[in-house]
Amino acid sequence: MKDKQLYMIGNAHLDPVWLWQWQEGFQETKATFRSALDRMGESEDFIFTSSSAAMYEWVENNDPGMFEEIKQRVKEGRWHIVGGWWIQPDCNIPSGESFVRQGLYGQRYFKEKLGVTAKVGYNVDSFGHNSMLPQILKKSGMDYYIMMRPMPNEKALPGRLFWWQSDDGSKVLTFRIMYEYLSWGKDLEKHVRRCLGEFKEPVNDLMLFYGVGNHGGGPTKENISSIRRLNGEPDLPKLVFATPDRYFHDMENKGLEFPVVHDDLQHHASGCYAAHSGVKQWNRQAENKLAAAEKYSALASWVTGQPYPKEFDRAWKNVLFNQFHDILAGTSLEPAYQDAAYLYGEAMAIADRSLNYAVQSISWNIGIEQDERTTPIVVFNPHAWQSRVNVELEVGGIKPSAVLLDDQGNAIPFQTVKSQAAARGRFRLSIMADLPSMGYRVYKLLKESDSVKAVGEPVKAGDHTLENSRFRLKFDPATGCIKSLYDKKAEHEVFKGEGARPVVLEDTSDTWSHDVLHFNKAVGSFRAKKVHRVEHGPVKSVIRVVSEYGSSKLIQDFAMYPDKDQIDVQVTVDWREEFKMLKLVFPMNVVFSKQTYEIPYGTIEREHNGEEEPGQSWVDFTGLIPDKNTIHGLSLMNDAKYSYSIHNKELALTVLRSPIYAHHVPYEPDPDGHYSFIDQGIQRFQYTLLPHEGTWEDAGVVRCAAEINCKPTAIIESYHEGKLPQSDSYVNVDKDNIVISAIKKAEDNDDLIIRCYETSKKATTAEIQLPKWARSVRASFKPSEIKTFRIPRNADLPVKETNMLEWDES
């Protein structure tokens, strides 16, 4: 066995939050780091490996002396930094931009504070890994990756060591940990011997991770002494104290051929995609608020000189910390989610405040003529494409003869809907706004008019039917489900059976749903109590379906527009069930289908085998219309959920599940015990149905989903002189499949950083334009490629492509 080698990786997996709150994780971080330093003082050959910049920031702020010791050990090469991210996050649920920020803030922290950057990505306990990570890792300075879940019983892989490849061709050499990322604190002989069967020619070298973990602890004296003893055993491999960097470098230098895996790495703990609706929704909201706030803060700094906020780094660090795999997955104890709410709240408050400063600095500089009959409204588009979207805001003093005008003085459709205030004199204005790309438009509410008449005709709408030029939507008043969704243009019935059908399923699994892949045992369904029209006007008509099951209530408001090919559904759930799951089911009426899921900065096609699957804001089901041989599909989008399933032709959105907080098998709950269950009470979210001819790419689903999740900002303004026009655009891109996802100030100067990605898996050359500054970027994208550009404030300097850390590739 001495021709084989085990690289012994001393580490301490630290869950800063799990079955304890962050304050306990904070203390355990210091205790673990102290122990590792003490082991180094006792053993000159001992090496410690550690990740997660957030924990180093804790130590830096709370024990500067120990931080200086760590810095010295890093300089010596005995304290090794891996995983150049802020934390070890859930690797399915965060947005693509969140994964970029994990590296941006993590790697820059390690470089500034410790003088190093990580070369090895490191997520040893995350519950699955999306297939865009190789590209994000590579462009964040990491060429290697270490993971453990899914384990061999959950996903077969061609070996412990393999190339993991993204759609753009980026590859990272990846190692799947054997058995566990930790050990007990005693002799390691059993830990070593169980790995002997893992050696497979020609790979005669493997990594073995040791050290007490989860609640921290790290390598013990007995661990270290047993490694020395075991190294003398003739029937065991050579054991060496090592780092993951050394292992990967040694393996590459052997010149071996490693297999390539081009796939996501799933499934482990598939109940985590839906557990705890609150933290999932806060995460989505915070990501989108920060994206919009950064875009307009960066642009306002160039347009009006409004100072760019310094608080964005704190806001992002809060969000990134909450993306830790046991927080965002919904598997921590209940008080941890109050802590998470505080962090998300601070992040969203920073984003709201920053966005308000930015848009009001722009709107205050727009020239708006004085007319005391009107109320000016400025609507800002957070997306770099022309957008036609429903915008609502609270206003006062609307008369029956009121008219809404655009910036050219043309009357446009509007209506008043139920105000959020239960008071006289307040109204909620609903308009369909046509917005310039990454810009704004001024609208004027003429409070009453005799000469100008309101315009627009509503859709046909009764208590059970909505119909516009494209769709006819019918509800069954007995069940409350969609009885028919008919696409008049395609002459096709979208659903084969009742759509938007709320199904209650048995779910007695623990918080993770360990070893559960399917949730398919129906135990009941909601029944309609009332189906009736609640809004009707030239902008939209709405049918409300009120349903009940047991002690729970479900309200769905279905909105149809005269000239938009989508149906928006506002959902309110008051959930009072335990050990049950709620899905909304849509039976699809096509054959030869394919199923596409949005993943962070990309997409993936998966089988329709009924397994619970992670996805971002949309999933699409497209196939051939029976007997017509034409392509038709449905995109299902939402602003808060991440869990889907497709069984044969049934597409389902998992709304919620209600296990016990932090219930981990094999613990058996006491049938007579008192427990706190997840997702009890009221929650609200939106989903959207986008039936389409042709493919999802043709239908523009990526843009539509982005509009649902990151909505326009509307400001009520006043009359004033200004240098800015009443409609303007700051950024646009000439190809529909290139999406600008982030615009921010550079970390090190006043340059603009623009990040964009290709959405349709096709090579594309595109031009990004900033017309106000006569700047443009022309670039070629590989399929699914993410690109980051630096636009200097100084117009004499060229635009450059940079990496995700905002450092030149050179």
Side-chain angles (χ1 to χ4, degrees):
M1 293 293 289
K2 293 303 179 184
D3 61 336
K4 298 175 173 58
Q5 187 162 259
L6 281 175
Y7 290 64
M8 303 300 293
I9 310 299
N11 80 113
H13 180 63
L14 265 165
D15 289 329
V17 178
W18 179 28
L19 307 179
W20 46 85
Q21 292 175 256
W22 70 268
Q23 296 89 342
E24 187 174 339
F26 187 108
Q27 194 283 327
E28 186 55 38
T29 296
K30 292 185 295 181
T32 298
F33 283 9
R34 180 71 265 158
S35 175
L37 289 167
D38 290 346
R39 300 293 81 74
M40 288 180 184
E42 298 160 357
S43 302
E44 292 184 357
D45 52 353
F46 170 69
I47 301 171
F48 185 64
T49 293
S50 181
S51 71
S52 304
M55 299 181 192
Y56 287 83
E57 188 179 67
W58 282 350
V59 174
E60 179 192 12
N61 292 336
N62 200 240
D63 191 341
M66 182 161 64
F67 191 78
E68 288 299 317
E69 288 185 66
I70 292 171
K71 186 184 297 186
Q72 181 58 37
R73 293 302 191 182
V74 169
K75 188 176 180 180
E76 293 172 3
R78 297 186 59 201
W79 188 295
H80 187 65
I81 300 297
V82 293
W85 286 358
W86 196 247
I87 206 76
Q88 290 187 41
D90 181 283
C91 288
N92 284 313
I93 295 171
S95 68
E97 187 60 22
S98 286
F99 286 109
V100 173
R101 299 308 174 95
Q102 288 283 355
L104 178 72
Y105 290 106
Q107 292 281 50
R108 292 181 78 98
Y109 178 88
F110 286 134
K111 183 67 174 177
E112 177 187 352
K113 303 295 184 177
L114 299 176
V116 299
T117 55
K119 304 302 180 188
V120 177
Y122 189 86
N123 287 296
V124 300
D125 194 24
S126 300
F127 308 145
H129 309 260
N130 78 80
S131 63
M132 288 297 288
L133 285 184
Q135 181 180 177
I136 294 171
L137 289 161
K138 288 286 286 189
K139 293 184 176 180
S140 301
M142 288 173 274
D143 298 321
Y144 312 105
Y145 195 55
I146 296 173
M147 44 73 69
M148 187 180 76
R149 311 181 195 279
M151 300 181 84
N153 62 304
E154 296 164 327
K155 184 176 181 66
L157 292 172
R160 289 288 173 185
L161 190 62
F162 57 93
W163 289 109
W164 187 27
Q165 180 175 304
S166 290
D167 287 338
D168 72 313
S170 299
K171 292 191 299 185
V172 289
L173 191 57
T174 300
F175 183 83
R176 178 159 68 178
I177 291 173
M178 301 176 291
Y179 295 101
E180 296 175 87
Y181 48 72
L182 50 71
S183 65
W184 71 331
K186 305 296 183 181
D187 188 281
L188 296 178
E189 183 166 358
K190 290 181 180 179
H191 191 51
V192 169
R193 288 192 179 278
R194 68 181 175 179
C195 297
L196 298 184
E198 295 289 336
F199 289 97
K200 307 289 183 184
E201 292 283 355
V203 179
N204 284 326
D205 304 278
L206 297 168
M207 283 189 282
L208 183 61
F209 289 71
Y210 73 97
V212 180
N214 287 341
H215 196 266
T220 65
K221 295 178 181 179
E222 192 166 346
N223 285 164
I224 295 167
S225 64
S226 70
I227 290 172
R228 294 196 177 98
R229 179 184 66 79
L230 293 170
N231 214 6
E233 297 290 331
D235 62 335
L236 292 179
K238 183 180 179 183
L239 276 58
V240 294
F241 295 107
T243 69
D245 279 49
R246 177 182 163 189
Y247 174 76
F248 285 117
H249 291 162
D250 287 354
M251 296 309 294
E252 281 191 308
N253 289 337
K254 287 179 181 290
L256 302 175
E257 292 287 331
F258 302 111
V260 176
V261 174
H262 183 189
D263 196 3
D264 59 1
L265 304 179
Q266 313 294 357
H267 294 88
H268 178 83
S270 58
C272 293
Y273 315 146
H276 204 291
S277 295
V279 76
K280 305 290 197 292
Q281 186 170 52
W282 304 333
N283 182 72
R284 184 82 64 85
Q285 290 171 340
E287 289 172 336
N288 283 288
K289 283 179 182 289
L290 281 168
E294 282 185 334
K295 287 174 182 176
Y296 273 104
S297 294
L299 293 171
S301 71
W302 279 27
V303 175
T304 68
Q306 174 69 31
Y308 190 84
K310 297 179 180 179
E311 298 175 294
F312 280 137
D313 64 340
R314 182 72 268 152
W316 268 112
K317 288 175 181 178
N318 286 4
V319 173
L320 300 178
F321 182 83
N322 276 340
Q323 290 174 345
F324 179 70
H325 53 264
D326 277 313
I327 301 175
L328 191 53
T331 55
S332 291
L333 75 173
E334 187 173 12
Y337 291 99
Q338 186 63 63
D339 297 334
Y342 294 154
L343 288 182
Y344 277 124
E346 183 182 33
M348 287 191 269
I350 290 169
D352 276 342
R353 183 166 58 247
S354 302
L355 179 60
N356 184 63
Y357 275 127
V359 296
Q360 292 220 32
S361 75
I362 294 173
S363 68
W364 191 247
N365 282 278
I366 298 171
I368 303 176
E369 68 279 5
Q370 183 167 346
D371 184 344
E372 295 181 357
R373 301 172 304 159
T374 67
T375 298
I377 301 168
V378 189
V379 184
F380 290 84
N381 179 12
H383 304 295
W385 57 83
Q386 292 184 9
S387 188
R388 181 168 173 78
V389 288
N390 184 215
V391 175
E392 295 187 356
L393 72 160
E394 298 285 319
V395 296
I398 298 180
K399 304 294 185 181
S401 59
V403 177
L404 186 67
L405 308 175
D406 66 13
D407 59 306
Q408 301 299 313
N410 302 311
I412 66 166
F414 80 100
Q415 73 189 74
T416 56
V417 295
K418 187 178 185 299
S419 172
Q420 293 175 339
R424 292 181 177 179
R426 294 298 293 176
F427 302 87
R428 188 161 184 82
L429 186 70
S430 181
I431 68 175
M432 191 62 70
D434 286 295
L435 302 176
S437 174
M438 201 66 232
Y440 62 84
R441 172 160 281 139
V442 175
Y443 294 90
K444 294 158 192 173
L445 179 63
L446 188 59
K447 296 177 183 176
E448 55 182 335
S449 173
D450 295 326
S451 58
V452 183
K453 301 300 181 183
V455 297
E457 292 294 329
V459 304
K460 296 177 183 178
D463 280 339
H464 304 142
T465 304
L466 296 169
E467 184 173 357
N468 62 12
S469 61
R470 178 67 186 271
F471 300 122
R472 184 167 58 247
L473 179 64
K474 294 182 178 180
F475 293 89
D476 185 328
T479 66
C481 300
I482 295 175
K483 183 178 181 180
S484 169
L485 174 54
Y486 187 70
D487 185 333
K488 296 193 288 186
K489 183 181 177 184
E491 299 181 328
H492 175 59
E493 192 68 59
V494 177
F495 298 133
K496 192 171 186 176
E498 291 188 322
R501 178 166 54 94
V503 178
V504 181
L505 301 155
E506 180 183 271
D507 178 12
T508 57
S509 60
D510 68 2
T511 315
W512 288 255
S513 300
H514 280 112
D515 299 321
V516 177
L517 296 176
H518 304 85
F519 300 90
N520 50 20
K521 185 177 180 181
V523 293
S525 60
F526 280 77
R527 304 298 294 178
K529 292 299 179 181
K530 191 173 185 180
V531 182
H532 63 128
R533 192 185 75 187
V534 293
E535 303 286 0
H536 187 52
V539 175
K540 66 178 182 179
S541 295
V542 178
I543 288 179
R544 175 169 295 160
V545 177
V546 181
S547 306
E548 292 181 355
Y549 168 83
S551 300
S552 299
K553 179 182 285 189
L554 172 66
I555 301 172
Q556 298 189 79
D557 286 352
F558 293 83
M560 181 179 282
Y561 310 94
D563 55 356
K564 279 184 77 71
D565 293 343
Q566 67 189 62
I567 297 158
D568 292 338
V569 189
Q570 297 291 336
V571 182
T572 301
V573 185
D574 186 357
W575 186 250
R576 304 291 172 179
E577 315 305 319
E578 300 171 354
F579 293 123
K580 293 182 178 67
M581 171 184 279
L582 174 62
K583 286 179 179 279
L584 289 169
V585 178
F586 304 86
M588 301 304 301
N589 187 25
V590 291
V591 296
F592 296 107
S593 65
K594 69 176 181 178
Q595 299 74 224
T596 307
Y597 296 74
E598 183 189 33
I599 62 174
Y601 274 153
T603 59
I604 192 169
E605 293 179 14
R606 296 188 176 119
E607 301 85 355
H608 62 177
N609 56 18
E611 291 185 1
E612 204 72 8
E613 300 283 4
Q616 294 275 300
S617 63
W618 62 268
V619 62
D620 180 83
F621 193 112
T622 293
L624 291 179
I625 296 175
D627 303 323
K628 286 192 176 181
N629 206 39
T630 56
I631 297 173
H632 198 278
L634 175 78
S635 295
L636 173 62
M637 298 162 271
N638 77 85
D639 67 356
K641 305 298 177 182
Y642 296 89
S643 192
Y644 308 87
S645 63
I646 301 174
H647 184 238
N648 296 332
K649 290 183 169 58
E650 281 199 337
L651 165 64
L653 171 67
T654 303
V655 175
L656 54 81
R657 51 186 302 262
S658 47
I660 298 170
Y661 271 97
H663 170 210
H664 194 296
V665 294
Y667 176 85
E668 291 287 343
D670 182 349
D672 298 320
H674 174 74
Y675 299 97
S676 188
F677 289 81
I678 296 177
D679 273 5
Q680 302 297 293
I682 295 173
Q683 60 170 280
R684 297 178 176 88
F685 68 98
Q686 175 185 332
Y687 71 87
T688 291
L689 302 175
L690 181 68
H692 56 81
E693 292 183 294
T695 67
W696 62 264
E697 295 95 332
D698 300 330
V701 62
V702 174
R703 289 184 170 187
C704 186
E707 290 170 350
I708 291 164
N709 280 272
C710 193
K711 297 182 185 298
T713 299
I715 298 293
I716 295 178
E717 258 297 348
S718 55
Y719 330 112
H720 40 64
E721 294 182 355
K723 61 183 180 180
L724 301 180
Q726 292 190 9
S727 178
D728 215 345
S729 171
Y730 294 119
V731 186
N732 61 72
V733 59
D734 68 348
K735 294 294 192 301
D736 290 348
N737 61 316
I738 304 298
V739 169
I740 294 175
S741 53
I743 302 173
K744 63 183 286 290
K745 181 179 136 348
E747 294 295 308
D748 50 8
N749 59 22
D750 289 333
D751 294 350
L752 281 187
I753 297 293
I754 293 182
R755 188 154 23 256
C756 38
Y757 67 107
E758 195 283 317
T759 63
S760 298
K761 295 191 180 182
K762 64 181 181 181
T764 301
T765 298
E767 186 172 10
I768 301 159
Q769 298 176 330
L770 290 76
K772 295 301 158 189
W773 300 282
R775 306 303 295 270
S776 66
V777 184
R778 190 166 181 81
S780 295
F781 290 77
K782 298 175 185 175
S784 301
E785 187 175 11
I786 310 159
K787 282 184 176 287
T788 305
F789 300 99
R790 178 186 287 269
I791 294 89
R793 184 72 178 264
N794 183 346
D796 294 330
L797 298 176
V799 175
K800 286 187 175 182
E801 184 173 353
T802 184
N803 63 16
M804 291 174 178
L805 305 181
E806 301 176 19
W807 295 332
D808 289 340
E809 297 287 0
S810 57

